[in-house]
Amino acid sequence: MTEQTARILFVDDEPTILSILEKLFSNEKWDCHYVSSANEALDFLQQNRVDLLVSDFMMPEKDGIELLIDVKQHYPQIIRLLLTAYAKDEKTTRALSEGYAQQMIPKPWIDQELKEIVRSALRQSAQQKKYSQEFQALLNTIPLLPALPQSYSQVQSCIHDDDVDIEKMATIIGLDVSLTSALLHWANSALFGQRYHVDTIKKAIIVL
């Protein structure tokens, strides 16, 4: 596969925010594009390859989460980040837990932190592309299933021990498929920017 310049699509209905983002990323090597609505974003995606989508939450007509749901369904290879001032909103929590957004970025953001999150997400995208588009789509669409209460309490108990036993914790998590899925999902998410795929429970625990 020929290496291509990473392409990012930013979506926000506030012209001021788009202007700030454009200035912030103006010196980066990435191919950045800026649109002011979910419908504009979908039109752009029909015509262009995109590696990373960064969308605002509260927008008229179609909000950011509705956009991310559409993107997850039709363009699952795209990594999806949600930019929001409503971090504790129920819809934001649902977007993360069901995998519509792979990470939430709070407004107002810290410039260097935002850049590093974007950089990590693009590293993740590049790593996934080394395998196949199908593999990339699979990783980006795994929902986070709820863990069983018993597993949760056992893991909590391990965490609160003075001497945390990672091996014991990995064994407990390994008995719960949903908890294992959630752990591996987050360890491989854009938030942590791993250069290599995290494929064991123990490695995931260490990363997190």
Side-chain angles (χ1 to χ4, degrees):
M1 178 185 294
T2 303
E3 187 174 350
Q4 297 174 303
T5 301
R7 182 172 292 152
I8 309 170
L9 180 61
F10 292 93
V11 189
D12 199 300
D13 65 308
E14 297 183 44
T16 302
I17 296 295
L18 288 181
S19 177
I20 292 171
L21 288 169
E22 187 169 3
K23 183 177 180 181
L24 177 62
F25 289 93
S26 62
N27 294 325
E28 297 293 341
K29 60 183 179 181
W30 308 312
D31 182 15
C32 298
H33 297 263
Y34 306 86
V35 298
S36 59
S37 72
N39 289 330
E40 284 184 74
L42 292 173
D43 288 342
F44 185 89
L45 292 174
Q46 287 182 348
Q47 305 294 328
N48 301 274
R49 169 191 59 83
V50 170
D51 301 292
L52 174 64
L53 175 72
V54 182
S55 177
D56 183 33
F57 174 15
M58 297 298 288
M59 296 187 291
E61 297 181 7
K62 182 191 284 282
D63 67 30
I65 293 177
E66 291 174 309
L67 170 61
L68 295 183
I69 290 172
D70 281 348
V71 173
K72 179 184 176 183
Q73 180 179 356
H74 299 290
Y75 309 96
Q77 75 278 6
I78 297 175
I79 293 179
R80 304 169 301 277
L81 306 183
L82 182 65
L83 192 62
T84 179
Y86 304 90
K88 296 183 179 180
D89 187 273
E90 183 180 344
K91 290 183 70 175
T92 301
T93 303
R94 180 168 170 259
L96 290 170
S97 66
E98 298 191 11
Y100 303 139
Q102 290 155 283
Q103 186 173 348
M104 185 274 294
I105 304 170
K107 278 184 174 182
W109 62 80
I110 298 173
D111 287 351
Q112 287 307 115
E113 286 186 2
L114 176 57
K115 280 192 171 186
E116 186 53 41
I117 289 170
V118 168
R119 192 170 288 111
S120 295
L122 292 175
R123 281 200 300 264
Q124 177 182 326
S125 176
Q127 182 65 27
Q128 291 173 358
K129 286 178 182 177
K130 293 179 181 179
Y131 297 93
S132 68
Q133 195 172 56
E134 290 74 19
F135 176 77
Q136 189 178 14
L138 176 63
L139 282 182
N140 290 338
T141 53
I142 295 174
L144 299 183
L145 304 174
L148 298 174
Q150 183 178 2
S151 301
Y152 176 78
S153 61
Q154 289 175 327
V155 171
Q156 283 287 91
S157 177
C158 285
I159 292 173
H160 290 134
D161 286 345
D162 292 334
D163 185 15
V164 177
D165 187 337
I166 292 179
E167 295 287 352
K168 179 181 177 182
M169 193 184 303
T171 300
I172 293 170
I173 292 172
L175 297 174
D176 188 322
V177 175
S178 61
L179 193 56
T180 298
S181 173
L183 190 74
L184 292 173
H185 175 90
W186 283 113
N188 284 289
S189 74
L191 177 62
F192 299 99
Q194 295 301 299
R195 293 182 180 272
Y196 303 99
H197 180 57
V198 178
D199 56 1
T200 70
I201 297 171
K202 184 176 179 180
K203 287 180 183 177
I205 292 172
I206 293 171
V207 168
L208 297 175

